[in-house]
Amino acid sequence: MEVAQILCMNKGGGETSYTQNSSLQQKIISDTMPITEKAVEAIISTDATSASPPQSIAIADLGCSSGRNALLLISDTINLVYAKCKRLGYPLPEVSVFLNDLFNNDFNSIFGSLPDFHRRLKDTNGDEVGRCFISGMPGSFYGRLFPKHSLNFVHSSSSLHWLSKVPEGLEGEDKIRMNKGKLYVSRTSPPSVLLAYAAQFRNDFSRFISSRSEEMVSGGRMVLSFMGRKSMDPTASGTAHQWELLAEALTTLVSRGLVDAEKLESFNAPYYSPCMEEVRMEIEKEGSFDIDHFEEFDVEWDDLAEGTNSGLKSLSRGQRVAKTIRAVVETMLESHFGFGGEIMDELFERYGAIVEDYLLQNTVTNTNLVISFVKK
C-alpha cells in the first residue's frame, strides 16, 4: 500500500472533515510553540556586528494538511520573524513559504483562505509586513522536495508517524497473514512484524533526514513533532490502544457480515510511533544535524485547543476521539475495505462507544516527541 495514493485527511468543512476535527493537532502545535519560537528566533542573528540581517527567509511546513491548522504555524512563525527583526532594528525580510503534503491534500481550501491570512498578518503587525510568497509543494517528504541549500526553517507536526508504505514482510510462507486481526503492532504480533515496522521507520526517517540535510542552509533550524512512545518495546502498554480499539470495532462489523473478514486480516496501518532512542540513532547516524532540544510530552486522547467549536466540546470523550480519528483515517479505510456511507458511520459510532467505555476505566494519554535541530 503506497501511502501517497490513499492517505488524505477528510476534505471540506463538513461534520466529519479534518477542518472541524483537528483540535488535537492544533493543541500539539500550540504546546510546542515555545520550542518553535526559540528555533525561529535563532535564525535571526542577535549580533548585528557579526552577521548581516537576512534579506529573505524560506520556510517549509511538511505535512501541512488543510483547514485552520495549515496556516496556523506559518502565521505564528512569520510574526516571530517580524517581531525579532523589529527589536533588532533590521529591515523586514521577504518570506517564502512552502506548504507540503501528499498529492491528494485539499490545497484548494488552503489557497482559498490566503486573502484572510494576509489580512490577519497585516492586522497583527500594524501593516508593517514584508513581502510574503506562499506556494504549495505536493509530494512525499520522504524524498527531495526543494533545491539544495534553499531552506532556513523546516517544521512538521503530527505527520512523521505515517510511514511511506506498509512494511514489507508481513506475510509468511504461503501468503499467511503474520499480523492477522490486528491493524498495527500488538503484544500478540510475532517478532517478524515488529522488526518489519521498525525497519520501515528507520528507512523512511533516514531518507527524511538526509533529504532535509541537502535542502537546508548551514545554521538552518528544524522542529519536528510526531507520535512516539516512552518504552523501547513497541508493544508496551499504551503505545497502540487506539488502533487496537479500532480493530475491535471492525471485528464487530465483521461478525455482523458488514465487513469482509479477509479485508480485516489483510489491513496493516502504515504507521509507527518510535521511541526517542530510535529517532536519536537515525539523526546521529546521518550526521548533518546537532540536536538542540529533544523531549517527550503527553496529550490526552480528546484534548482540545483553545477556541474549539462548541459542537465538539458538547460531545462525549469517546465521540470526540472517534471524530478525530475518522477525519484522519477514513479515506484509508474506504480505499482498503471498500465501504463508506452508513457502514462508515456505524463503524465510528461503535468505535466511539468502545473508546468511551475504555476511557471510563483507564487513564491514558498519547506520547508525542518534539525535536529541534540545527543544520551543521
Side-chain angles (χ1 to χ4, degrees), residues 197-349:
Y197 267 97
Q200 186 63 50
F201 168 76
R202 289 194 300 272
N203 181 60
D204 283 346
F205 194 69
S206 65
R207 286 191 293 143
F208 178 91
I209 293 296
S210 62
S211 295
R212 304 296 83 77
S213 172
E214 293 189 64
E215 295 165 349
M216 293 177 65
V217 301
S218 178
R221 302 284 171 144
M222 179 160 62
V223 175
L224 311 176
S225 59
F226 50 95
M227 297 284 288
R229 66 178 194 272
K230 291 186 171 73
S231 172
M232 289 283 287
D233 179 6
T235 69
S237 177
T239 60
H241 279 143
Q242 288 171 320
W243 289 111
E244 292 173 358
L245 299 182
L246 184 55
E248 183 179 336
L250 281 163
T251 300
T252 300
L253 268 60
V254 169
S255 68
R256 295 173 53 195
L258 298 175
V259 173
D260 187 339
E262 192 279 332
K263 289 286 189 180
L264 176 57
E265 292 174 4
S266 63
F267 183 85
N268 291 282
Y271 169 95
Y272 188 74
S273 53
C275 64
M276 189 177 288
E277 289 78 6
E278 289 174 289
V279 175
R280 189 187 300 276
M281 181 175 66
E282 295 305 317
I283 296 169
E284 293 177 349
K285 184 166 63 175
E286 197 279 332
S288 296
F289 294 90
D290 288 325
I291 298 175
D292 186 50
H293 185 92
F294 200 165
E295 70 173 85
E296 304 165 342
F297 67 99
D298 292 332
V299 292
E300 294 186 8
W301 283 11
D302 61 329
D303 256 349
L304 298 175
E306 291 185 14
T308 299
N309 68 72
S310 58
L312 202 56
K313 289 180 179 179
S314 66
L315 299 176
S316 70
R317 298 188 68 194
Q319 289 172 325
R320 287 201 295 268
V321 172
K323 288 175 75 70
T324 298
I325 297 298
R326 178 173 182 172
V328 174
V329 304
E330 181 168 1
T331 57
M332 190 189 312
L333 297 180
E334 188 172 16
S335 173
H336 180 83
F337 289 95
F339 62 73
E342 293 182 359
I343 296 179
M344 191 70 74
D345 292 340
E346 188 159 350
L347 169 63
F348 281 99
E349 286 175 13

Side-chain angles (χ1 to χ4, degrees), residues 12 30 41 81 110 120-121 181 194 197 216 219 245 257 267 278 282 312 370:
S30 298
E41 291 203 346
V81 168
I110 301 176
R120 288 195 301 271
L121 199 62
L194 311 185
Y197 267 97
M216 293 177 65
L245 299 182
F267 183 85
E278 289 174 289
E282 295 305 317
L312 202 56
V370 57

